[in-house]
């Protein structure tokens, strides 16, 4: 479905793309590997001994493979080095396969996922342009704020209930009421764990307002949730390296359709940004993809090496490789986590299975327990989880990330460790599934 299979074998990770390491650096990498191995769940021993280093099982940054860590700890390397040029070019090409496009342009720029908002707003919005933001949580609201900063006239269409998404009929009604330059949808809002139906939203937009750009915030979704950029008619995808892409933080990834680049070319006013301007970055991306060097700003060399390694590993997932195996692994892992939550008598913030992310899970706590009570007990058991971040409700729920190698490499035992830690920590807080009453973890009244 996604086109050609990945051409990049894992055997090339340590050769064409990644610089050789010295003996001292190899010893450092070995120490990292030893500590990681100590974190693996010993199912046979079945002890309560926590890992040497707690597992980072928040909704990003995520746990990374040993080879990704090794690639990130390579020696200082010039951004003009042929090895880096090759690695960067491969990253651009592999990202197309990950998101399901043959024609769109990836922009791989040093920065956080939030930089993708700025890139979108700076390049595609002119003062007074109307933007429709479909908000399902904290990050939908943030995207709206960013668009307003660049002069957009923003309409915020919020979910009527925390943990739900907007009915398609309501989106259609809103689109008929005004002409929008773009519509944004957060595929997974990290604050709530709500999964939006990007395919259906894009279909509604194409039917009612075909000139409107479909912009997807995929920071907590890309490479975990199904998205087929070309087939679904997506125009911009905003994501980042530190979540399901399985890499350290530091790379902002934006993929823009040719339609979006046409909107950029037709601007009547200058792009109101310097670093975030696609007019400056486009020649850089095109040059590196042809394995030539062109300079605008120094790329994050080591993080690009790590991303190169992570993408190769991802696209080799399963017996046949490719993104279908990656998506299936995340779906299976999510189903297991959601079943465990239900068995504990708890409820997810997402109100239905259809609205539940596969990359993460947000869970309402029993009324007697606050996130501040639970999280230290989880950490003592070797798991770092996250509190909520919805204003006024941050202590009412907690969030778990189960994306990247946590899902695609189940032999590492991270999910086993996470679920046991949650069960035991809740019991230490005085809660057990056997004694829970119906509705004890019900969402707060708003």
């Amino acid at each position: 479905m996604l086109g050609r299979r990945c051409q990049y074998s894992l055997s090339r990770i340590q050769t064409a793309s990644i610089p050789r390491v010295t003996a001292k650096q190899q010893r450092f990498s070995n120490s990292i590997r030893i500590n990681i191995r100590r974190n693996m769940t010993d199912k046979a021993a079945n002890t309560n001994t926590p890992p040497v280093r707690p597992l980072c099982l928040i909704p990003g940054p995520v746990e990374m493979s040993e080879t990704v860590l090794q690639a990130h700890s390579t020696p200082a390397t010039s951004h003009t080095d042929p090895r880096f040029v090759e690695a960067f070019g491969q990253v651009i090409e592999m990202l197309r396969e990950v998101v399901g496009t043959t024609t769109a342009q990836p922009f791989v720029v040093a920065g956080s996922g939030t930089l993708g908002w700025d890139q979108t707003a700076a390049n595609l919005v002119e003062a007074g342009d109307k933007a429709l933001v479909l908000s399902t949580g904290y990050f939908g609201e943030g995207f709206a704020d960013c668009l307003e900063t660049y002069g957009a006239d923003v309409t915020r269409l919020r979910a009527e209930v925390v943990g739900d998404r907007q009915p398609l009929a309501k989106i259609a009604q809103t689109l008929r009421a005004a002409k929008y330059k773009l519509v944004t949808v957060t595929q997974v809002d990290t604050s709530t764990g709500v999964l939006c139906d990007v395919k259906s939203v894009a279909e509604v937009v194409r039917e009612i307002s075909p000139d409107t750009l479909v912009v997807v915030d995929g920071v907590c979704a890309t490479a975990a949730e199904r998205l087929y950029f070309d087939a679904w008619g997506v125009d911009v995808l905003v994501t980042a390296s530190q979540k399901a892409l399985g890499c350290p933080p530091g790379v902002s990834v934006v993929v823009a359709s040719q339609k979006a680049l046409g909107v950029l070319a037709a601007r009547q006013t200058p792009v109101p940004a310097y670093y975030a301007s696609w007019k400056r970055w486009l020649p850089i991306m095109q040059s590196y993809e042809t394995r030539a060097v062109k300079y605008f700003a120094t790329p994050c060399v080591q993080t690009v090496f790590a991303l190169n390694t992570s993408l190769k590993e991802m696209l080799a997932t399963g017996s046949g490789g490719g993104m279908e195996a990656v998506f299936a692994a995340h779906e299976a892992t999510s189903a297991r986590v959601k079943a465990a939550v239900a068995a504990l008598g708890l409820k997810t913030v997402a109100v239905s299975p259809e609205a539940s992310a596969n990359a993460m899970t947000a869970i309402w706590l029993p009324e007697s327990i606050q996130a501040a009570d639970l999280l230290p007990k989880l950490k003592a058991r070797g798991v770092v989880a996250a509190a909520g971040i919805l204003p006024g409700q941050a202590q009412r729920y907690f969030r778990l990330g189960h994306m990247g190698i946590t899902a695609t490499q189940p032999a590492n035992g991270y999910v086993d460790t996470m679920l046991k830690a949650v069960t035991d920590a809740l019991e230490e807080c005085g809660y057990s599934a056997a004694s829970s009453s119906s509705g004890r973890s019900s969402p707060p009244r708003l």
Side-chain angles (χ1 to χ4, degrees):
M1 183 177 293
L2 292 180
R4 63 178 179 81
R5 293 271 301 279
C6 180
Q7 300 176 10
Y8 309 103
S9 66
L10 291 174
S11 64
R12 297 180 63 191
I13 291 175
Q14 299 286 343
T15 57
S17 301
I18 310 302
R20 295 182 181 275
V21 296
T22 65
K24 181 178 180 181
Q25 290 158 341
Q26 186 64 56
R27 287 194 298 272
F28 175 75
S29 295
N30 288 340
S31 70
I32 293 176
R33 292 200 296 275
I34 290 169
N35 281 331
I36 292 175
R37 289 193 184 102
R38 288 172 179 168
N39 286 328
M40 305 302 182
T41 300
D42 187 349
K43 297 180 182 178
N46 194 26
T47 69
N48 292 321
T49 304
V52 173
R53 174 186 63 79
L55 295 170
C56 187
L57 298 178
I58 64 176
V62 301
E63 288 293 324
M64 294 162 281
S65 73
E66 298 181 44
T67 46
V68 169
L69 292 172
Q70 217 174 354
H72 197 246
S73 64
T74 51
T77 306
S78 169
H79 56 282
T80 65
D81 188 299
R83 294 167 297 182
F84 175 72
V85 175
E86 176 65 23
F88 202 171
Q90 290 179 7
V91 163
I92 294 169
E93 293 163 352
M94 287 188 286
L95 284 169
R96 287 199 183 94
E97 184 167 359
V98 169
V99 306
T101 183
T102 58
T103 60
Q105 177 61 57
F107 292 90
V108 182
V109 179
S112 74
T114 306
L115 177 60
W117 293 350
D118 281 87
Q119 290 185 57
T120 301
N123 290 281
L124 300 178
V125 169
E126 297 186 71
D129 283 346
K130 290 183 178 297
L132 175 60
V133 173
L134 308 181
S135 176
T136 54
Y138 179 91
F139 291 95
E141 297 298 315
F143 205 163
D145 291 343
C146 181
L147 289 164
E148 288 178 337
T149 299
Y150 287 87
D153 177 8
V154 175
T155 298
R156 303 176 192 228
L157 184 59
R158 299 182 175 95
E160 295 179 359
V161 177
V162 172
D164 206 354
R165 51 198 188 186
Q166 301 82 355
L168 292 174
K170 183 67 173 178
I171 297 171
Q173 179 186 4
T174 307
L175 285 169
R176 290 189 181 100
K179 180 70 173 179
Y180 292 96
K181 180 77 164 289
L182 54 84
V183 172
T184 75
V185 54
T186 309
Q187 188 169 16
V188 172
D189 197 300
T190 317
S191 68
T192 58
V194 170
L195 172 67
C196 283
D197 185 353
V198 172
K199 180 182 180 182
S200 295
V201 169
E203 287 174 350
V204 170
V205 173
R206 286 201 307 273
E207 178 185 349
I208 297 172
S209 184
D211 292 335
T212 299
L213 298 173
V214 176
V215 178
V216 178
D217 180 341
V219 171
C220 193
T222 302
E225 312 291 348
R226 293 179 185 274
L227 186 136
Y228 307 102
F229 192 100
D230 289 349
W232 289 1
V234 174
D235 292 299
V236 178
L237 175 65
V238 173
T239 190
S241 58
Q242 77 273 15
K243 300 203 182 226
L245 290 178
C247 179
V251 180
S252 167
V253 176
V254 178
V255 182
S257 70
Q258 294 303 311
K259 177 181 174 182
L261 294 178
V263 170
L264 169 66
R267 287 184 65 97
Q268 301 299 305
T269 58
V271 174
Y274 185 77
Y275 184 71
S277 173
W278 288 344
K279 291 187 175 181
R280 291 187 169 88
W281 281 114
L282 182 57
I284 309 302
M285 299 300 123
Q286 292 172 333
S287 291
Y288 274 102
E289 189 167 5
T290 62
R291 308 311 193 257
V293 176
K294 195 174 182 68
Y295 181 77
F296 165 52
T298 304
C300 43
V301 174
Q302 270 62 42
T303 317
V304 169
F305 278 139
L307 181 57
N308 179 288
T309 301
S310 179
L311 292 173
K312 287 174 178 174
E313 292 180 347
M314 181 192 308
L315 291 169
T317 297
S319 58
M323 290 307 298
E324 294 305 306
V326 175
F327 296 145
H330 282 87
E331 289 161 0
T333 300
S334 178
R336 183 182 173 199
V337 173
K338 303 301 193 287
V341 171
L344 284 168
L346 301 177
K347 295 181 180 179
T348 62
V349 174
V351 299
S352 67
E354 297 76 20
S356 297
N358 294 299
M360 62 165 290
T361 305
I363 306 162
W364 292 116
L365 284 163
E367 293 177 3
S368 60
I369 301 176
Q370 300 262 304
D373 302 324
L374 180 70
L375 297 188
K377 295 175 176 60
L378 285 173
K379 188 173 183 180
R381 290 166 170 81
V383 171
V384 176
I389 54 175
L390 288 176
Q393 300 182 51
Q395 291 299 312
R396 286 285 291 111
Y397 68 105
F398 71 108
R399 297 172 297 143
L400 298 169
H402 35 81
M403 66 191 94
I405 64 170
T406 300
T408 60
Q409 300 179 21
N412 58 34
Y414 294 170
V415 176
D416 297 323
T417 300
M418 177 177 71
L419 295 179
K420 185 174 187 338
V422 169
T423 301
D424 293 349
L426 284 168
E427 287 182 356
E428 187 180 347
C429 289
Y431 174 86
S432 67
S435 62
S436 67
S437 60
S438 177
R440 190 177 181 192
S441 65
S442 296
R445 292 181 180 179
L446 303 179

